[in-house]
Amino acid sequence: MHLAYPAVLSALLFCTGLYGVLARRNAILVLMSVELMLNAVNLNLVAFDAWLSRAAEDTLHSGQALALFTIAVAAAEIGIGLAIVLAVYRNRGTSDIDRLRDTAEGHDPDDPDNDATGRAIPAPAAGGKAEATA
């Protein structure tokens, strides 16, 4: 098999994953797109390893070893990333990335009763005068 076939397939997988990272708003779909990109890298590693080992007549297979290392890192990344997404979903009620940009506790940018820091603006006292407290 020619080297061009897995290289083109890997490029298509990587571009699909890149589109998913840039276009998706759901954090879980972004993590899945990152996994797709890592799998494209693994495909390239194995394809080039097979091509180079055939040309050099060696049996080291360092590309396959790197692919296994990448799979282990990807498994750790998806585990930690999914745990973070689930914790954020429990606290915020959404996994929409655009809504999670402002991470200030209790800040709702659409609420007119909040100032820029997210704290509630106190209501004026009755009659327009401040009440004196002892």
Side-chain angles (χ1 to χ4, degrees):
M1 178 169 41
H2 294 286
L3 182 62
Y5 297 133
V8 168
L9 179 62
S10 176
L12 289 173
L13 281 173
F14 192 85
C15 290
T16 304
L18 185 64
Y19 173 75
V21 167
L22 296 177
R24 299 291 178 191
R25 292 187 176 155
N26 190 344
I28 294 175
L29 292 178
V30 170
L31 286 173
M32 289 174 59
S33 297
V34 169
E35 289 294 320
L36 197 61
M37 292 168 59
L38 287 172
N39 285 330
V41 170
N42 286 340
L43 180 61
N44 258 341
L45 284 171
V46 172
F48 277 100
D49 177 57
W51 181 66
L52 288 174
S53 68
R54 205 175 315 137
E57 299 295 331
D58 66 347
T59 58
L60 186 59
H61 298 297
S62 58
Q64 293 179 12
L66 284 173
L68 287 175
F69 180 73
T70 306
I71 290 170
V73 169
E77 174 258 333
I78 199 69
I80 292 172
L82 190 58
I84 291 171
V85 168
L86 288 175
V88 168
Y89 182 77
R90 284 183 185 165
N91 288 335
R92 301 283 178 157
T94 184
S95 62
D96 186 8
I97 294 174
D98 290 337
R99 298 178 118 203
L100 297 175
R101 284 186 185 167
D102 188 18
T103 59
E105 186 112 2
H107 177 67
D108 185 12
D110 299 330
D111 190 5
D113 293 334
N114 289 342
D115 63 1
T117 62
R119 288 174 277 179
I121 300 171
K129 296 181 182 178
E131 295 181 20
T133 58

